[in-house]
Amino acid sequence: GCPQKYVVKNYFYYYLFKFSAALGEEIFYITFLPFTYWNIDHSVSRRMIIIWSIVMYIGQVSKDILKWPRPLSPPVVKLEVRTDAEYGMPSTHAMAATAISFSFLIATMNQYKYPFELGLMAAFVFSTLVCLSRLYTGMHTVLDVIGGALISAVLLVLLYPAWDSIDHLLLTSPFCPLLSIAVPLLLCYNYPKLDYYSPTRADTTTILGAGAGATVGFWLNHQYAAPAYSGENLGFPLITGMTVVLVLARFFTGLFVILLTRQLMKSVVLGTLCYCYKFPISDLEARRRLEVEVPYKFVTYSSVGFTATVIVPLLHGLLGLI
């Protein structure tokens, strides 16, 4: 668990790739995905979250089935500690970056007017930076990164024909709330077992929980608020000083509520589980048990997803930010 000693010789590359690595982690998911829902387009955000959940689940499970080790150290120097306990193939950073950037491009290219070449370049640069960051930080081999990007690309191609049908079904089916919770929970409780503890199950539960909560929120909004399909294609809004102020106000208000929800639910859910299973909150081994870790992560992050899609928009309306 102790990080290796190293000397930084090029601070530009160091900070560039440390930042790029963060684009495939929770700090990015919990800011960018809600931002698109609050400020860009609901349909774009829905499609990105659906693709992200599916791609990440397949990637995480593939790691623990294949069990390919990460690069040996030495010769590489590993700049991260937590994810070193996971297996290497495929790189889920590469999968997430490819899925999010290109699903955003696909979802917007026929809906908004902008140079396609510019969007393609942005998606390519984004995914490439994240992929290169995994090599720079010593967490993956070239094969891990290429494999992750290719798997994500194949999944995008396979899912694209059913994209609209899946989205419509999740918005209109009366069984959506039940299935959105039951199926991810079933997948989390039946996650592949390992001989030692790895954070992959916790990360997978976090992702599926957030996706489940958001999906229930999408369904509720469609059923009881404004329908998701308005038939209008308004394009990107005109950027003015007032627009920027509203965008920033929506973002920071929503982010504050999300972080508050996450912290509150972590405390409440973990405290309840500690009481039910009779262990102290400082007992890390107990918190890693299946019957504790899955409900703890799932309930916490499904609450975050639900808050981002239902509670925050309601608050925006009350504050006159819509």
Side-chain angles (χ1 to χ4, degrees):
C2 297
Q4 295 171 280
K5 294 182 178 179
Y6 55 87
V7 176
V8 179
K9 295 183 178 180
N10 189 313
Y11 281 95
F12 174 76
Y13 288 150
Y14 178 77
Y15 288 113
L16 172 65
F17 291 124
K18 289 284 281 186
F19 173 78
S20 300
L23 298 178
E25 297 173 357
E26 181 184 350
I27 189 173
F28 175 73
Y29 303 144
I30 210 168
T31 53
F32 178 72
L33 294 177
F35 179 88
T36 61
Y37 189 75
W38 301 330
N39 293 302
I40 297 180
D41 189 288
H42 287 189
S43 65
V44 172
S45 181
R46 290 197 309 272
R47 285 161 172 76
M48 289 173 62
I49 290 174
I50 292 168
I51 294 295
W52 170 67
S53 300
I54 295 173
V55 165
M56 288 299 289
Y57 174 76
I58 291 174
Q60 295 285 77
V61 169
S62 298
K63 279 186 178 184
D64 289 340
I65 291 177
L66 294 174
K67 298 182 179 180
W68 286 22
R70 290 187 181 269
L72 293 176
S73 177
V76 304
V77 176
K78 296 184 178 180
L79 304 187
E80 298 176 12
V81 176
R82 178 182 178 273
T83 55
D84 191 34
E86 299 178 7
Y87 288 107
M89 178 68 172
S91 167
T92 46
H93 273 71
M95 293 184 71
T98 304
I100 288 176
S101 58
F102 283 93
S103 62
F104 182 84
L105 173 66
I106 295 169
T108 57
M109 66 181 182
N110 293 324
Q111 197 165 347
Y112 301 110
K113 295 180 179 179
Y114 64 87
F116 173 75
E117 295 78 9
L118 182 62
L120 181 62
M121 183 181 298
F124 180 78
V125 169
F126 179 89
S127 56
T128 300
L129 280 175
V130 175
C131 289
L132 290 177
S133 74
R134 308 316 289 157
L135 303 179
Y136 183 88
T137 55
M139 302 312 296
H140 285 285
T141 64
V142 174
L143 185 60
D144 294 343
V145 169
I146 293 176
L150 286 178
I151 292 171
S152 192
V154 169
L155 289 172
L156 276 172
V157 171
L158 293 176
L159 290 170
Y160 179 71
W163 204 341
D164 291 336
S165 299
I166 294 172
D167 184 51
H168 180 73
L169 182 66
L170 292 177
L171 289 175
T172 58
S173 172
F175 303 105
C176 173
L178 176 61
L179 294 177
S180 296
I181 298 297
V183 173
L185 263 179
L186 184 65
L187 293 175
C188 293
Y189 274 109
N190 290 277
Y191 192 82
K193 293 179 174 60
L194 298 177
D195 297 330
Y196 67 95
Y197 179 79
S198 167
T200 48
R201 186 181 65 199
D203 292 343
T204 304
T205 306
T206 295
I207 293 165
L208 293 183
T215 302
V216 173
F218 297 150
W219 184 86
L220 282 174
N221 287 336
H222 181 72
Q223 298 296 320
Y224 301 106
Y229 294 97
S230 62
E232 298 177 355
N233 185 359
L234 302 177
F236 286 114
L238 180 65
I239 298 177
T240 63
M242 184 56 67
T243 302
V244 172
V245 170
L246 283 174
V247 166
L248 292 177
R250 285 194 291 262
F251 174 68
F252 286 111
T253 300
L255 184 60
F256 173 78
V257 174
I258 282 179
L259 295 177
L260 184 64
T261 300
R262 184 181 66 167
Q263 191 58 42
L264 177 63
M265 293 305 297
K266 277 186 175 182
S267 301
V268 171
V269 176
L270 188 56
T272 303
L273 291 169
C274 288
Y275 176 79
C276 292
Y277 291 103
K278 309 299 181 184
F279 66 89
I281 198 169
S282 58
D283 189 345
L284 186 59
E285 288 302 316
R287 290 167 59 174
R288 288 174 170 177
R289 293 183 344 223
L290 174 69
E291 65 271 21
V292 174
E293 185 175 67
V294 169
Y296 168 48
K297 294 290 185 180
F298 192 88
V299 174
T300 298
Y301 284 91
S302 61
S303 300
V304 169
F306 184 82
T307 298
T309 53
V310 176
I311 306 301
V312 171
L314 288 175
L315 181 61
H316 288 164
L318 291 174
L319 296 177
L321 299 177
I322 296 179

